[in-house]
Amino acid sequence: MLSAELLEEGQHLMAVCNSCRYCEGFCAVWQSMETRTVFEEKDLNYLSNLCHNCSECYYSCQYSPPHEFAINPPKTFAKLRVYTYELYAWPGPMAKAFHRNGLKVTLLTVLILVAVMTSASFLLGGQLFMTVHDGNFYKIVPHSVMSIAFAVVGSFSALALLIGFLRFWRNVGESYSTLASPGALATTAKDIFTLVNLDNGGDGCSYPQENSSESLKWFHHATFYGFLSCLIATTLGAFDYFALGQHGPPAFTSLPVIFGTVGGVGLIVGPIGLWIMMQRRNEEIVDKSQNGMDLSFIVLLVAISITGLLLLVLRQSAAMGSLVLIHLSFVMTLFLTMPYGRFVHGIYRSGALLKWSLERSRQAKSKASA
């Protein structure tokens, strides 16, 4: 339940900003805000997820601290966003446990999975520390075992993310039928793939400090497209295995390896760049309670990428068995924590962008019919 204090803070922010409107050209948040005169909890939930945390508004605001109004949109929206992560999460108790101890829960999960997989490998007589000369890691973990395990974990994660998104969609006042709007979906896809709300007319964001820079956008791009490239690599690998019957290790020049390598590099450059910016950011505009959740996501992405690239290079050495189990443990932990960690902000932010696209379409139709 949203605390009365945070609800009051959010409504105070909107009341002042809707009277001023100096920031209306900065991003979609302020343009959407101007279509409202009353700000209920559902409006704050929507606008907080539409916020991309670029902070340009904070440094331009005449009412930001030390002014007595103490307007701080990035921090207020950050607190509201993390509240929505718990509000929409399924099952809810898992979200609470993760938000309170994000990094500890992540590391503990990795250790448990490594221990379980190592024990299972020995019990089944696996070749954990033996050199597999052809580099076929399915001799360490059979493809059938790997497929079943990730099908179960992946299905759970996908179901939790879907339930969370549908809860968000209903909570912000949209019906499920509006999800089938091709024009709005196309506009939303463009906004997501270009990160236009981090562009600010080409000047970028006031992050990590007051000076504008496009670094936040480019590190987000590296992370997003790195993840997408790894997803394509996994899909192509599955196609090669099931459709083409290629059961051995993929060649270094094969499409799964090329996409996986490009994605791995992106998932090292992007998250580390975002982490460096976190160390330099203005602490006045952040909600420090989310540090553990942010750091755990960065650690997982970088660990998955490094172990994946090492696995590719050392796949014909005695280290391959250990690397396979460690890499799979990191990947499985990412899947398990996706519905409750930083990953979920991409789901709700995409939903908020879709709602904003629908609002613009409705406004255009209303003006045309007037």
Side-chain angles (χ1 to χ4, degrees):
M1 181 178 180
L2 182 62
S3 70
E5 182 182 0
L6 184 52
L7 177 62
E8 183 180 357
E9 181 181 334
Q11 291 175 330
H12 169 68
L13 169 70
M14 290 293 93
V16 174
C17 292
N18 212 13
S19 300
C20 173
R21 299 191 175 186
Y22 179 82
C23 300
E24 63 181 0
F26 284 178
C27 72
V29 170
W30 311 114
Q31 296 166 39
S32 183
M33 174 199 71
E34 291 178 6
T35 65
R36 292 166 167 77
T37 56
V38 176
F39 296 92
E40 301 176 2
E41 180 185 327
K42 65 178 184 179
D43 301 300
L44 298 176
N45 293 343
Y46 158 57
L47 293 171
S48 65
N49 280 291
L50 189 58
C51 169
H52 283 55
N53 201 35
C54 84
S55 308
E56 193 74 16
C57 53
Y58 174 81
Y59 293 106
S60 301
C61 182
Q62 59 185 318
Y63 302 118
S64 60
H67 192 280
E68 61 181 317
F69 287 174
I71 294 301
N72 192 336
K75 189 172 185 176
T76 300
F77 281 142
K79 290 190 288 186
L80 286 164
R81 272 197 303 275
V82 79
Y83 158 72
T84 64
Y85 299 166
E86 288 192 13
L87 177 66
Y88 306 135
W90 177 87
M94 290 185 68
K96 291 180 181 178
F98 188 78
H99 290 161
R100 290 171 184 163
N101 304 286
L103 186 58
K104 292 180 182 177
V105 170
T106 296
L107 295 177
L108 181 62
T109 304
V110 171
L111 290 174
I112 291 174
L113 287 172
V114 169
V116 170
M117 289 187 187
T118 302
S119 302
S121 176
F122 278 118
L123 288 174
L124 295 174
Q127 307 176 61
L128 188 58
F129 299 109
M130 296 179 65
T131 301
V132 180
H133 296 289
D134 62 357
N136 188 352
F137 49 76
Y138 294 138
K139 292 180 179 177
I140 303 296
V141 181
H143 184 272
S144 57
V145 174
M146 197 183 300
S147 299
I148 292 172
F150 278 94
V152 172
V153 174
S155 297
F156 167 77
S157 182
L159 178 63
L161 288 171
L162 176 62
I163 291 174
F165 176 81
L166 294 178
R167 285 177 172 177
F168 163 83
W169 198 243
R170 293 295 292 174
N171 178 255
V172 298
E174 293 289 343
S175 64
Y176 296 140
S177 62
T178 57
L179 290 170
S181 305
L185 288 170
T187 302
T188 302
K190 181 181 177 183
D191 290 345
I192 293 172
F193 285 110
T194 60
L195 285 178
V196 66
N197 281 279
L198 288 178
D199 190 61
N200 191 28
D203 293 332
C205 299
S206 294
Y207 187 93
Q209 293 291 329
E210 184 171 358
N211 294 332
S212 295
S213 162
E214 292 198 89
S215 299
L216 187 63
K217 183 179 75 171
W218 290 116
F219 284 132
H220 268 89
H221 270 317
T223 305
F224 174 76
Y225 285 106
F227 187 88
L228 189 62
S229 186
C230 288
L231 190 62
I232 292 172
T234 303
T235 304
L236 289 172
F239 178 82
D240 287 351
Y241 188 92
F242 289 110
L244 303 181
Q246 297 178 1
H247 298 171
F252 287 109
T253 55
S254 66
L255 286 177
V257 171
I258 292 173
F259 275 101
T261 303
V262 171
V265 172
L267 285 179
I268 291 175
V269 173
I272 289 180
L274 292 173
W275 179 79
I276 291 173
M277 296 186 80
M278 282 177 60
Q279 307 312 304
R280 299 174 178 173
R281 66 187 178 182
N282 179 359
E283 294 294 320
E284 297 297 321
I285 62 172
V286 299
D287 175 21
K288 296 179 183 176
S289 69
Q290 301 180 36
N291 286 352
M293 180 172 61
D294 292 344
L295 185 58
S296 65
F297 187 50
I298 289 173
V299 167
L300 277 177
L301 292 180
V302 173
I304 289 170
S305 303
I306 291 176
T307 55
L309 293 173
L310 284 175
L311 186 56
L312 177 65
V313 175
L314 302 175
R315 63 184 184 180
Q316 291 179 305
S317 73
M320 186 186 75
S322 302
L323 281 170
V324 167
L325 296 188
I326 293 171
H327 179 69
L328 293 179
S329 298
F330 279 121
V331 175
M332 193 167 285
T333 301
L334 176 67
F335 273 71
L336 288 170
T337 58
M338 280 165 67
Y340 318 106
R342 178 54 66 192
F343 179 88
V344 82
H345 90 284
I347 303 297
Y348 300 144
R349 186 164 289 164
S350 299
L353 285 169
L354 178 57
K355 179 176 172 59
W356 168 230
S357 180
L358 289 168
E359 287 184 347
R360 279 181 287 177
S361 175
R362 290 165 188 154
Q363 291 168 18
K365 289 179 181 177
S366 178
K367 288 180 181 178
S369 62

